[in-house]
């Protein structure tokens, strides 16, 4: 790749607008990519508003996801309801520490970490921050890559509920937290997708100027 | 690697340039040697990664995904039995487990889309886009739009997350009952591996370029 050596220039500073889907560049002002059809925006000014909107509904959905039961388990005449955290604690007390850790990481650590990370990224494009652009971009990469994996608990509930239908011997049904948790994951994925990471790099990390 | 002045980039025709989709760094697009990759110097996003016989591999792998997905939804997936009671669940049963009613139905729709429809649809889109390119023909009608959809849907294809979910669920069930694996389980596991490898290895830039030049 032949580029500008150590001084990397951005398409924006060269008066060009880049397509984020197919990497083609066009003259500034063009509305949509003539190669792949994606809408073009040198910097997506509406993106931060969308990020905050999706993030807010994502966080709101995460609250009932932790308060209501995720699973309703019935073994013989014993019926129990578990929230996400109760389910993980129960697994841990039965000795399945590794599985309990996977559930806690996927359903608690990742979503909460993601709320904080997306919020931080959105705040940090608007004002100078301690973290360098490279580190912030890495954070964005991690959020984008790892966020989808929170869905694992929803699939676990789906598999358990489909599989464990053994008459009165044992049955598992999904609880209302399954839907609110899934919605929380979907909304925060939209928040991450809405974020325009090119803004991290503008003006040496101080954020883009409008104009 | 020559130190081209920034002003030189602006003088080049636009179709010789490439901008990093993640950080907007502008480069002159140069095809690296087969099997090696051109990476953004600033944020390390892979920009161009040509492979020998790339299209043929894409077609074979996408066809395999389609066949495996059809198998994975038709054959038995998992079964359990305990104390004389037994139950079998297919992939579709698993996806439709939230069909009890009310809001949960929406969740079933999401799960069907994430683990069956979107992975299958993306494989079909890639076949539609790449098949004519392999034969050196003009792309089919709407090939660019099709490839764009395939790219946009990428984060929503969650087959790999589902298979890890299976592993977690089976550890939970193992205490309760005896688990049987059906052929669909192995088919699904195989299609997950192929889908992930294909997404990592696909050289998007070459495909866009070919679509631009031939249509």
């Amino acid at each position: 790749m032949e580029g500008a050596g150590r001084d990397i220039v951005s398409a924006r500073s060269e008066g060009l607008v880049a397509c984020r889907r197919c990497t083609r560049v066009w003259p500034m002002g063009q509305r949509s990519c003539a190669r792949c059809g994606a809408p073009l925006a040198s910097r997506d000014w509406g993106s931060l508003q969308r990020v905050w909107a999706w993030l807010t509904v994502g966080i709101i959905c995460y609250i009932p996801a932790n308060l209501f039961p995720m699973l309703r388990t019935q073994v013989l005449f014993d019926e129990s309801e578990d929230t996400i955290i109760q389910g993980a604690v129960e697994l841990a007390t039965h000795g399945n520490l590794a599985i309990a850790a996977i559930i806690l990481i996927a359903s608690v650590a990742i979503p909460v970490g993601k709320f904080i990370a997306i919020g931080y990224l959105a705040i940090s494009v608007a004002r100078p921050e301690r973290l360098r652009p490279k580190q912030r971009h890495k954070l964005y990469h991690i959020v984008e890559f790892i966020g989808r994996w929170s869905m694992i608990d929803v699939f676990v509930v789906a598999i358990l509920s489909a599989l464990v239908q053994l008459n009165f011997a044992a049955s598992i049904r999904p609880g209302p937290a399954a839907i609110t948790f899934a919605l929380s994951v979907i909304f925060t994925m939209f928040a991450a997708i809405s974020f325009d990471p090119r803004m991290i790099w503008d003006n040496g990390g101080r954020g883009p100027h409008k104009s | 690697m020559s130190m081209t002045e920034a002003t030189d980039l602006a003088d080049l025709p636009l179709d010789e340039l490439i901008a990093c989709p993640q950080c907007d760094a502008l480069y002159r697009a140069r095809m690296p040697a087969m099997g090696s990759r051109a990476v953004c110097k600033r944020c390390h996003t892979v920009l161009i990664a040509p492979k020998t016989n790339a299209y043929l591999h894409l077609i074979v792998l996408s066809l395999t995904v389609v066949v495996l997905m059809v198998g994975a939804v038709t054959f038995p997936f998992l079964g359990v039995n305990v104390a004389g009671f037994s139950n079998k669940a297919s992939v579709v049963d698993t996806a439709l487990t939230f069909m009890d009613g009310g809001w949960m139905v929406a969740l079933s729709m999401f799960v069907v889309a994430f683990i069956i429809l979107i992975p299958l649809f993306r494989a079909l889109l890639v076949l539609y886009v790449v098949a004519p390119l392999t034969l050196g023909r003009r792309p089919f009608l709407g090939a660019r739009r099709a490839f764009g959809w395939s790219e946009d849907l990428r984060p929503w294809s969650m087959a790999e997350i589902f298979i890890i979910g299976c592993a977690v669920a089976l550890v939970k069930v193992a205490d309760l009952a005896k688990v049987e694996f059906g052929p669909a389980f192995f088919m699904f596991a195989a299609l997950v591996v192929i889908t992930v490898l294909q997404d990592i290895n696909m050289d998007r830039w070459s495909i866009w370029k070919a679509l631009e030049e031939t249509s």
Side-chain angles (χ1 to χ4, degrees), chain B residues 13 38 41 70 112 122 133 139:
Chain B
K41 286 182 212 160
V70 171
V112 170
R122 287 189 71 227
L133 298 180

Side-chain angles (χ1 to χ4, degrees), chain B:
Chain B
M1 193 83 64
S2 68
M3 299 288 234
T4 318
E5 283 300 311
T7 43
D8 287 356
L9 283 176
D11 296 335
L12 289 168
L14 292 184
D15 63 352
E16 285 186 25
L17 298 174
I18 181 171
C20 174
Q22 294 283 335
C23 77
D24 211 31
L26 189 65
Y27 302 98
R28 181 172 191 177
R30 280 282 177 80
M31 195 72 124
M34 284 290 165
S36 62
R37 311 185 303 175
V39 175
C40 176
K41 286 182 212 160
R42 186 152 78 170
C43 72
H44 308 297
T45 302
V46 176
L47 299 175
I48 310 177
K51 310 255 171 0
T52 36
N53 292 329
Y55 294 155
L56 198 61
H57 289 168
L58 276 177
I59 287 188
V60 172
L61 293 178
S62 298
L63 266 177
T64 315
V65 168
V66 173
V67 172
L68 286 173
M69 186 59 96
V70 171
V73 296
T74 20
F75 289 104
F77 186 59
L78 290 169
V80 285
N81 59 68
V82 58
F85 293 106
S86 71
N87 184 41
K88 281 186 168 57
S90 69
V91 175
V92 179
D93 294 334
T94 309
L96 295 182
T97 186
F98 302 107
M99 288 301 266
D100 285 359
W103 278 96
M104 298 300 261
V105 174
L107 189 52
S108 276
M109 297 295 111
F110 283 134
V111 175
V112 170
F114 291 155
I115 68 174
I116 302 171
L117 298 182
I118 293 177
L120 182 64
F121 186 50
R122 287 189 71 227
L124 292 170
L125 286 172
V126 168
L127 280 175
Y128 184 81
V129 171
V130 177
L133 298 180
T134 325
L135 302 170
R137 302 249 180 100
R138 283 167 60 88
F140 291 134
L141 193 69
R144 298 177 188 201
R145 179 172 299 169
F147 194 54
W149 283 346
S150 162
E151 288 295 281
D152 291 344
L153 285 171
R154 196 176 166 192
W156 305 101
S157 165
M158 299 191 179
E160 74 273 29
I161 302 171
F162 177 71
I163 206 80
I164 302 295
C166 285
V168 173
L170 292 180
V171 174
K172 281 193 168 189
V173 175
D175 288 350
L176 210 65
K178 195 172 169 297
V179 180
E180 286 163 12
F181 294 93
F185 182 84
F186 301 102
M187 290 177 172
F188 204 89
L191 87 85
V192 163
V193 174
I194 295 172
T195 311
V196 170
L197 286 179
Q198 179 151 318
D199 269 333
I200 293 172
N201 288 319
M202 192 193 300
D203 182 20
R204 289 151 172 93
W205 187 80
S206 300
I207 295 175
W208 282 122
K209 187 113 184 123
L211 289 176
E212 184 174 33
E213 281 164 358
T214 51
S215 56

Side-chain angles (χ1 to χ4, degrees), chain A residues 36-65:
Chain A
C36 78
L40 296 176
S42 178
R43 293 297 175 268
D44 191 350
W45 298 106
S47 82
L48 291 180
Q49 280 183 32
R50 287 201 304 279
V51 170
W52 286 118
W54 286 121
L55 187 61
T56 308
V57 286
I59 293 173
I60 291 171
C61 287
Y62 190 65
I63 298 167

Side-chain angles (χ1 to χ4, degrees), chain A residues 105-185:
Chain A
I105 291 169
S107 311
V108 182
I110 291 179
V112 173
K114 207 172 138 176
F115 297 146
I116 297 168
I118 294 174
Y120 170 77
L121 286 169
I123 291 170
S124 70
V125 292
R127 55 172 207 201
E129 279 293 329
R130 271 187 304 124
L131 281 185
R132 305 195 59 75
K134 199 165 227 164
Q135 295 164 308
R136 277 190 271 148
H137 198 114
K138 187 156 269 174
L139 184 65
Y140 170 74
H141 253 311
I142 294 170
V143 164
E144 207 195 14
F145 174 78
I146 239 170
R148 321 155 54 236
W149 285 89
S150 294
M151 210 54 129
I152 204 168
D153 213 18
V154 174
F155 293 146
V156 170
V157 172
I159 297 156
L160 287 176
S161 311
L163 204 53
V164 186
Q165 294 299 336
L166 301 162
N167 225 326
F168 67 87
S171 79
I172 293 180
R173 283 177 302 129
I179 179 106
T180 52
F181 185 81
L183 286 174
S184 175
V185 177

